Amino acid sequence: MNRRTLTELDYFRIRDEIAGNCVSEEGKSLLEKYEPLTDVKRIDEAKALGKEWLSFLLSSKNSALTSWPPIHQILPVLKTEGSTLLQEQIFALLLFINAKENAEFAIENAKEDLKLEKLYELAQTLPDFTEAKNEISRILDDSGQLKDLPQLREIRGKIAACKREITVLMKKYTADSSLADALESNVPAFRADRQVLAVKSSRRAAVKGIIHEMSASGQTVYIEPEDVVRKNNELIQEEFHLQQEIRMIFHELTAKLRPMQWLFAKALPVMIKLDTTCAGAKWGKQNRCNYVFNCKIIEETLQEEPLLLLQARHPLLGEKAVPVDIRFMPGKRILIITGPNTGGKTVTLKTIALFAMLNQTGFPVPAAEGSRLPVFSNVFADIGDSQSLDQSLSTFSGHMKNIASAVNGADKNSLVLLDELGSGTDPLEGGAIAMAVLDTLIERKAFVLCTTHHGILKNYGYTHESCINASVEFDNTTLSPTYHLSMGIPGESRALDIARRSGLSGKICNAAKGYIANEQADVSSLIKGLSAKHAELSRIQKEMALREKELADLRRKTDLHELKLRQKEMDLQKAGHRDSQKFLLESRKMLENLVRELKEGEVTREKTLKVKAFIKEIQDSVEQAGQKVEQDEENLVKDMAVKEALIKQIEESKKQKKTAKKRLKNSEALALAQSLASSEETASKPVQKLEFKSGAQVLVGSSKRQGTLIRLEKKGMWSVQIGSIKMNVNQKNMILIAQDENSKLSQPEITLDLADSQKINVDDSKFPGSRPMFELRLLGMRVDEALKMLERQLDLCTLHNFPKFSIIHGKGTGVLQQAVQDYLSHYPGIANFSFAPPEDGGTGKTYVELAV
């Protein structure tokens, strides 16, 4: 990458700011050498780690990385045979081990909750330092101080004894009254780490010993008494012995750590990678960033936007940055940005290029989720004034030199930035050169971002299929730029308005306005009209996006409601089973007592009344239970009606997204066809004899929910299938209706015509209803049976334009899970499928989205 270009984009400034988030000096030093990569695999690897770090930082987990001193210079010393590490060097290795263990512990604890797969995989490569830590901890404590080892304890005891004896001897001199007039001070002084007495120069003979020093005035001499000299010599010998013993301890410890040097050499790059990727995520958290998706450089046939930045904010502008949306349509390679001066054209150009470079370094960018960027092999830029007196370059010459370099070096993987293209010379010739330059860059298939004030380039952007216009908006009320970017339309330069705001007199501005040709006014009117239409389109798009969000929320509520209905049904079944067991147990006890009384004596009227009362009590209990079941069933049917209303509302909202004209025509044609078909069908259909039997259609309860009779459970009580729910209903609470041939529950098969004229026969005997389910349950099924159910569900989804559903297949041995995943991966109508989040079933449940 061109370093001059990266400097103009403020890339190094942002990179160094990110490096400041490293916890280690080694990580910071390495990150400060980073430059954009071109290897997509390495970029994706860095971003994958960064994404997981960002997820970790946004959680409530404790910090995973702690700082450690630099150890890269210690490792060569440790490797050298016969070397001895210093105490602070050994302590640095201990701190590194502690940092490694903290990172391992934090990542492993958060692996399941936050899905830290890449971080965990990287942390698993860290070696075990248990033996090294034990050896170091035997010598040093947690603060890095030398422990009280047995081999040192005796020497330290001798040193302490020597110091006490010296103190006693010195006190003998300071307390001697005969020396009171000879001593300058009663407090001993230190010279060369030895205790001495400050004696008056005139009385130096009063104290026998060695003179260490004389004061500058010559009035005081510092004498070490003879008996103290001997003790000080003993102290020095013991202290030397102590240091010698400490050096021996560190030498032996170094020898024990030497075979483990390769462990530190292996762990250090891993820890640095953890540190640098975490630093990028920390910066991303501070600046509300996201990791964008890498897309391949656009091809002519590509049907997705090659560059899409949502709510992009230049990081150096901070809170003053105005978020902008920048999107390239498929097949577009040239973005021409126009608009007023100081409107943000150059900032927008720099923002796109800077984001591309940050992305290629593995860093997040201040943009919303869903953004994506190509990976460029090189970046060329002509930004600012390239005038140079040393090289005899004018402004225009400097521009041409940069542009020539870009044109000569650009290819299909290059990004070219051209600020104020065609400026600095005659407008006519400058515009012609600009168009010729763009023609050449289009031939080379380079990715080009340029800003300009030339009206002819605005027209060029409209007439060339590889170009797209964009403009920075201008507020006509305040006569100032808004810094918002409008894609698809050019902008006016508004030079007169900017000049007036900058202090140029109104008289001069009015005179300048008079020089503008009339045709220019026509162009301005056209641009204003386009701007108004673009604003209206943006408003509609925002409304549609809001509506889609509401639909998604509504669908989630519907799915939740369905789950609650299923749970309620299960609770009712469990409660009914418990009540039945309790009723059976109590009735059995009462019956046994009555039988025993009857056997014990003759049958009397009193005993007969007891039997009748028992039978009546059973009948009353059964009736009460039946009434309770009927009430619960009626409530359940009401809840199902609410669900159907929500589904109906979703379907109606989806239809509203079509244009009014097309909707009107389609709905009228469909209504007419249905009306005719219904009339013919009614006229030709024979009168059915309605009776309660298996397969008959009924309306259940007060809500008139349609269902199908399955079988007669007992007199007056039928098992009924209502949608995906099966329940027992009293016959008096149901109304028979005419049989609907198109919605029979037991129809043997459904045949679908596909685009390739093939036929698919689907067994429908195990699939309730003729509509797809929000949640397909395959638990307990064999693979072949489950795949038939899945095939039936997908066919119904296609028929009913049903976009999403979920599959509960469980985890188990993984056979059914794998079979479902394989089937979905080869089914042509699947847009996307993925496992559910942990809170909704995880790998035991799959979300499916169809391309409807």
Side-chain angles (χ1 to χ4, degrees):
M1 294 292 177
N2 189 304
R3 293 185 63 85
R4 184 182 66 84
T5 300
L6 295 177
T7 301
E8 290 177 344
L9 296 176
D10 293 311
Y11 168 82
F12 296 118
R13 184 175 170 187
I14 300 297
R15 183 200 63 186
D16 293 346
E17 183 178 325
I18 295 174
N21 290 291
C22 290
V23 299
S24 69
E25 287 296 326
E26 291 159 325
K28 182 180 179 182
S29 298
L30 180 63
L31 203 154
E32 287 175 345
K33 299 175 183 177
Y34 275 15
E35 289 191 9
L37 304 170
T38 56
D39 185 346
V40 177
K41 184 177 180 180
R42 292 178 60 192
I43 296 170
D44 287 340
E45 179 187 357
K47 288 166 61 177
L49 293 172
K51 285 180 184 178
E52 293 184 3
W53 272 129
L54 186 58
S55 174
F56 184 93
L57 294 172
L58 293 174
S59 69
S60 57
K61 306 289 184 182
N62 294 329
S63 176
L65 294 179
T66 55
S67 63
W68 70 87
I71 67 167
H72 67 283
Q73 294 179 343
I74 301 175
L75 300 185
V77 178
L78 178 61
K79 189 176 182 181
T80 303
E81 194 68 32
S83 61
T84 302
L85 294 181
L86 301 177
Q87 182 173 338
E88 57 268 21
Q89 292 176 322
I90 296 175
F91 184 54
L93 294 179
L94 178 61
L95 292 178
F96 176 79
I97 294 174
N98 291 338
K100 171 258 178 189
E101 291 179 345
N102 290 338
E104 272 185 322
F105 178 78
I107 293 172
E108 186 172 357
N109 279 356
K111 184 189 79 167
E112 296 297 334
D113 294 343
L114 303 177
K115 299 188 183 307
L116 307 181
E117 297 177 1
K118 296 296 182 182
L119 283 176
Y120 180 74
E121 182 180 335
L122 182 61
Q124 288 297 101
T125 64
L126 290 168
D128 183 20
F129 283 102
T130 303
E131 184 180 354
K133 185 174 183 179
N134 290 340
E135 291 293 343
I136 297 174
S137 298
R138 187 176 58 84
I139 305 300
L140 300 180
D141 60 20
D142 291 339
S143 63
Q145 298 300 312
L146 194 63
K147 289 186 175 180
D148 188 19
L149 302 174
Q151 57 266 47
L152 302 180
R153 197 172 298 130
E154 182 180 354
I155 301 174
R156 285 174 173 166
K158 291 180 180 179
I159 291 174
C162 286
K163 288 182 178 180
R164 286 195 298 271
E165 290 179 11
I166 291 172
T167 301
V168 171
L169 290 174
M170 295 299 288
K171 193 172 183 181
K172 182 184 69 173
Y173 287 99
T174 57
D176 189 350
S177 57
S178 63
L179 297 176
D181 59 341
L183 298 178
E184 290 282 2
S185 172
N186 292 331
V187 178
F190 282 87
R191 291 296 182 270
D193 293 329
R194 301 167 75 96
Q195 290 195 46
V196 295
L197 296 173
V199 183
K200 294 177 182 178
S201 180
S202 59
R203 296 290 309 277
R204 67 178 68 180
V207 179
K208 294 182 180 181
I210 299 173
I211 298 176
H212 282 266
E213 189 179 306
M214 182 177 290
S215 66
S217 63
Q219 298 297 317
T220 305
V221 292
Y222 295 93
I223 301 175
E224 182 181 5
E226 290 180 349
D227 50 355
V228 176
V229 169
R230 290 190 293 273
K231 285 298 176 183
N232 270 330
N233 290 339
E234 291 179 15
L235 176 63
I236 291 174
Q237 288 176 353
E238 293 299 331
E239 287 179 341
F240 177 78
H241 187 199
L242 176 64
Q243 293 302 319
Q244 193 175 31
E245 191 65 34
I246 290 174
R247 279 195 298 272
M248 182 59 66
I249 291 171
F250 287 146
H251 182 77
E252 292 175 355
L253 177 58
T254 303
K256 291 180 180 179
L257 294 176
R258 186 167 294 113
M260 308 173 202
Q261 187 269 351
W262 70 272
L263 297 177
F264 291 96
K266 180 182 178 182
L268 183 58
V270 177
M271 289 297 293
I272 291 176
K273 179 178 284 189
L274 290 173
D275 190 17
T276 54
T277 52
C278 184
K282 288 178 182 178
W283 182 81
K285 179 184 177 183
Q286 295 163 5
N287 293 274
R288 307 191 309 279
C289 298
N290 285 289
Y291 288 87
V292 302
F293 174 73
N294 290 337
C295 65
K296 294 181 180 179
I297 294 293
I298 176 175
E299 299 294 342
E300 296 300 329
T301 57
L302 196 61
Q303 296 302 311
E304 67 174 9
E305 296 162 320
L307 187 151
L308 175 64
L309 292 177
L310 303 174
Q311 298 296 294
R313 297 166 283 107
H314 197 290
L316 295 181
L317 295 179
E319 297 299 325
K320 297 185 294 183
V322 176
V324 295
D325 292 344
I326 306 163
R327 61 180 76 226
F328 271 65
M329 300 304 174
K332 306 294 185 183
R333 287 185 174 274
I334 312 293
L335 176 64
I336 301 174
I337 307 175
T338 54
N341 295 93
T342 70
K345 298 189 299 299
T346 304
V347 171
T348 301
L349 182 143
K350 285 186 174 182
T351 298
I352 298 173
L354 174 62
F355 280 22
M357 297 300 96
L358 292 176
N359 175 59
Q360 287 180 221
T361 318
F363 296 145
V365 300
E369 289 187 12
S371 301
R372 57 176 172 265
L373 286 164
V375 175
F376 300 105
S377 62
N378 211 339
V379 179
F380 300 94
D382 175 44
I383 301 175
D385 190 352
S386 300
Q387 186 183 59
S388 174
L389 296 177
D390 294 334
Q391 300 180 23
S392 299
L393 290 177
S394 66
T395 299
F396 180 71
S397 299
H399 283 307
M400 288 301 101
K401 184 177 180 181
N402 293 334
I403 292 173
S405 174
V407 171
N408 293 332
D411 58 22
K412 67 178 183 179
N413 295 316
S414 299
L415 174 63
V416 180
L417 312 175
L418 303 175
D419 189 27
E420 302 293 352
L421 181 60
S423 63
T425 188
D426 177 76
L428 181 61
E429 294 182 356
I433 292 174
M435 289 189 290
V437 168
L438 293 180
D439 287 340
T440 303
L441 291 174
I442 289 173
E443 291 176 3
R444 294 176 178 268
K445 296 184 178 181
F447 220 89
V448 183
L449 309 173
C450 74
T451 66
T452 185
H453 287 284
H454 283 295
I456 193 171
L457 288 183
K458 301 174 186 178
N459 183 62
Y460 182 92
Y462 265 121
T463 56
H464 205 293
E465 61 180 7
S466 296
C467 300
I468 181 173
N469 277 309
S471 61
V472 287
E473 297 177 358
F474 191 83
D475 191 334
N476 292 317
T477 304
T478 62
L479 299 179
S480 60
T482 64
Y483 305 105
H484 286 287
L485 187 70
S486 297
M487 300 297 297
I489 59 172
E492 297 180 89
S493 294
R494 308 302 292 254
L496 294 179
D497 294 323
I498 299 297
R500 194 186 301 273
R501 288 186 68 248
S502 299
L504 196 63
S505 69
K507 180 180 179 181
I508 296 176
C509 292
N510 292 333
K513 192 173 183 179
Y515 283 112
I516 299 177
N518 291 331
E519 56 268 22
Q520 181 66 33
D522 296 334
V523 174
S524 298
S525 298
L526 176 62
I527 292 176
K528 289 177 181 177
L530 288 172
S531 300
K533 291 182 181 297
H534 187 272
E536 178 65 17
L537 179 61
S538 298
R539 183 187 63 80
I540 294 174
Q541 287 178 337
K542 289 179 181 178
E543 290 179 356
M544 293 304 298
L546 181 61
R547 184 61 176 163
E548 287 180 359
K549 185 176 182 299
E550 291 175 352
L551 287 175
D553 293 340
L554 189 59
R555 180 170 293 281
R556 281 195 293 271
K557 291 179 181 178
T558 305
D559 293 342
L560 180 61
H561 196 70
E562 182 180 14
L563 291 175
K564 289 181 178 179
L565 288 177
R566 290 177 181 273
Q567 185 64 43
K568 187 174 182 180
E569 179 185 12
M570 187 180 298
D571 293 342
L572 286 173
Q573 291 176 353
K574 291 180 180 178
H577 181 67
R578 287 195 300 270
D579 292 343
S580 298
Q581 285 185 325
K582 181 179 179 182
F583 176 71
L584 179 63
L585 183 62
E586 292 177 352
S587 301
R588 182 176 179 177
K589 289 180 179 178
M590 293 177 64
L591 184 61
E592 288 175 350
N593 292 333
L594 287 173
V595 170
R596 187 168 52 254
E597 289 182 8
L598 290 174
K599 286 182 178 180
E600 289 176 354
E602 58 179 320
V603 178
T604 62
R605 174 177 173 77
E606 182 180 356
K607 293 180 178 180
T608 303
L609 291 176
K610 281 186 177 181
V611 172
K612 290 182 178 180
F614 171 70
I615 294 173
K616 187 175 184 307
E617 184 178 349
I618 292 178
Q619 290 176 341
D620 292 342
S621 299
V622 171
E623 289 181 1
Q624 290 177 1
Q627 292 174 358
K628 184 176 183 302
V629 170
E630 289 177 4
Q631 183 63 40
D632 291 339
E633 289 175 349
E634 187 172 347
N635 293 336
L636 187 58
V637 169
K638 288 180 180 179
D639 289 339
M640 291 176 63
V642 172
K643 173 195 164 188
E644 286 296 322
L646 290 172
I647 295 175
K648 184 177 180 182
Q649 184 177 355
I650 292 175
E651 292 176 349
E652 289 177 353
S653 299
K654 287 175 63 178
K655 292 178 182 178
Q656 291 176 2
K657 295 174 66 177
K658 300 180 180 179
T659 62
K661 183 177 180 180
K662 183 177 179 180
R663 185 175 67 248
L664 180 60
K665 287 182 179 180
N666 289 345
S667 60
E668 287 177 352
L670 182 60
L672 179 60
Q674 290 177 343
S675 177
L676 291 173
S678 178
S679 300
E680 292 174 1
E681 187 179 349
T682 304
S684 61
K685 191 181 294 183
V687 178
Q688 298 180 3
K689 182 179 179 181
L690 302 179
E691 59 179 323
F692 284 94
K693 63 180 182 179
S694 297
Q697 302 289 314
V698 294
L699 298 178
V700 181
S702 59
S703 63
K704 300 296 186 291
R705 178 83 172 116
Q706 185 172 348
T708 304
L709 298 181
I710 298 177
R711 61 180 175 273
L712 181 66
E713 297 291 344
K714 60 182 181 179
K715 185 176 181 181
M717 187 67 67
W718 285 85
S719 177
V720 185
Q721 183 78 42
I722 303 174
S724 60
I725 297 178
K726 187 185 295 183
M727 62 177 63
N728 294 334
V729 183
N730 196 312
Q731 182 172 308
K732 66 181 181 179
N733 292 331
M734 296 184 289
I735 301 174
L736 286 165
I737 59 175
Q739 186 78 4
D740 183 0
E741 296 296 333
N742 294 324
S743 60
K744 288 183 179 179
L745 176 64
S746 58
Q747 63 184 28
E749 66 180 20
I750 293 176
T751 301
L752 299 176
D753 288 324
L754 300 179
D756 57 359
S757 301
Q758 294 177 340
K759 301 288 185 178
I760 295 181
N761 295 323
V762 183
D763 183 7
D764 196 36
S765 60
K766 296 181 180 180
F767 207 99
S770 59
R771 292 187 62 84
M773 292 187 289
F774 286 96
E775 186 174 81
L776 181 63
R777 303 178 68 87
L778 304 180
L779 293 174
M781 295 185 182
R782 297 189 303 275
V783 171
D784 56 346
E785 183 181 8
L787 293 182
K788 287 182 180 179
M789 290 286 286
L790 177 56
E791 183 181 20
R792 171 77 172 111
Q793 169 77 359
L794 293 169
D795 292 341
L796 287 177
C797 288
T798 303
L799 284 173
H800 294 279
N801 196 30
F802 200 77
K804 297 179 181 179
F805 68 94
S806 60
I807 306 171
I808 296 181
H809 44 66
K811 301 176 182 177
T813 62
V815 176
L816 182 57
Q817 177 195 75
Q818 185 62 42
V820 170
Q821 294 282 314
D822 291 343
Y823 187 88
L824 294 175
S825 65
H826 292 90
Y827 190 83
I830 299 295
N832 186 31
F833 66 91
S834 61
F835 288 129
E839 64 271 14
D840 195 23
T843 56
K845 184 175 182 180
T846 298
Y847 290 157
V848 182
E849 182 177 351
L850 281 77
V852 297

